[in-house]
Amino acid sequence: MGRKSITLLVADVMVVIAASLASNYLRFDEFYPAKFGHFSQWLVIDLVVTPIAFYAVGLYRGIWRYASISDLLLISRAVGARTILLVALFILLGYDRGVPRSVVLIDAVLVFVMVGGVRFLTRMQRELTQAKILKTRRPVLIVGAGDAGEIILREMRNNQKLDYNPVGFIDDDPAKWGVRIHGVPVLGGHEEIPRVASERQVREAVVAIPSATGKDLAEVYKYCQRAGSTCRP
């Protein structure tokens, strides 16, 4: 395991302890309730089972700065496997009568939230760093708020060799106006290019419409010329 994986492992151990104590407190208003007679055994086994389950599912092999919904699903599977294994071991060891079911459920939810939070902090840090870098780049419009436009947006943000800061989308579909794609707004149709370019100091636009006809491209070029902006296909 690398340094980052070990850091996550230590964080998960802290999560296990915090979630166990918090679930007790939420259910019984006590950290060590008398009704949870085998809490010490539960915590010790949890500290062993959770890292093993998480490692088996793959939570220490991900690149969390690119975390997405699929990673949340992976975390949910890991927490589910960990909880089932933990309860099964407790039953096998004969401690199950001392484990309140409500605490098990609350604990699982807290572990999921905390483990997800720890991992998505890495992505949040990346997003903040990226936002600072983008401010130093040239503002650009993306013409086309479809799949191709979304791909170009991600490439502009992630490729450090590109000196572009996508500040808005242009699309002739009124249903898309006002929506945001990865935080970047769709600012209107083609006729809005001169206004938007002036307001946002844009001197370049990139066309991301694979199905565009010659007439469509001619219209985009026309509005870019009015804005004094260059237009790239």
Side-chain angles (χ1 to χ4, degrees):
M1 294 177 68
R3 181 173 58 85
K4 291 183 178 179
S5 296
I6 293 174
T7 300
L8 284 176
L9 175 61
V10 173
D12 288 340
V13 168
M14 296 175 66
V15 163
V16 166
I17 296 172
S20 296
L21 294 174
S23 58
N24 282 344
Y25 192 81
L26 289 172
R27 177 63 181 84
F28 300 110
D29 291 330
E30 297 179 64
F31 290 117
Y32 295 92
K35 293 183 180 180
F36 198 159
H38 298 294
F39 174 66
S40 296
Q41 292 90 331
W42 170 274
L43 183 56
V44 170
I45 295 175
D46 196 359
L47 288 170
V48 175
V49 167
T50 297
I52 293 174
F54 285 5
Y55 180 83
V57 174
L59 287 194
Y60 299 121
R61 295 193 294 271
I63 301 177
W64 293 100
R65 59 177 177 167
Y66 301 120
S68 62
I69 297 300
S70 61
D71 294 300
L72 277 180
L73 295 176
L74 181 66
I75 292 171
S76 68
R77 289 198 295 270
V79 173
R82 160 261 182 195
T83 304
I84 292 172
L85 181 58
L86 184 57
V87 172
L89 279 174
F90 239 57
I91 292 174
L92 184 64
L93 293 172
Y95 295 136
D96 55 299
R97 293 184 180 180
V99 182
R101 295 177 182 176
S102 57
V103 171
V104 174
L105 179 60
I106 295 171
D107 179 70
V109 172
L110 290 178
V111 169
F112 172 76
V113 172
M114 293 180 184
V115 167
V118 166
R119 280 153 176 79
F120 274 79
L121 277 175
T122 303
R123 172 164 180 171
M124 185 183 301
Q125 182 183 20
R126 172 177 171 267
E127 295 284 349
L128 292 174
T129 301
Q130 188 181 71
K132 292 180 181 179
I133 294 174
L134 286 173
K135 289 180 180 180
T136 66
R137 297 180 178 180
R138 289 181 294 163
V140 64
L141 288 176
I142 300 175
V143 182
D147 291 339
E150 189 269 342
I151 291 172
I152 289 176
L153 169 65
R154 286 192 284 111
E155 179 64 16
M156 286 180 175
R157 283 184 164 179
N158 296 329
N159 192 334
Q160 297 181 359
K161 295 181 180 179
L162 297 177
D163 187 30
Y164 292 126
N165 175 20
V167 296
F169 283 96
I170 294 295
D171 199 288
D172 267 356
D173 184 356
K176 296 179 180 179
W177 297 351
V179 304
R180 289 178 174 269
I181 301 174
H182 300 309
V184 178
V186 181
L187 300 169
H190 296 164
E191 68 280 0
E192 295 296 318
I193 291 176
R195 177 186 62 82
V196 173
S198 175
E199 291 177 354
R200 306 202 173 214
Q201 299 180 332
V202 174
R203 293 293 174 264
E204 190 167 350
V206 175
V207 179
I209 314 175
S211 60
T213 64
K215 182 180 178 181
D216 295 330
L217 291 175
E219 183 180 68
V220 173
Y221 279 107
K222 177 183 70 176
Y223 286 115
C224 284
Q225 285 179 340
R226 289 184 185 178
S229 302
T230 58
C231 189
R232 295 179 52 199

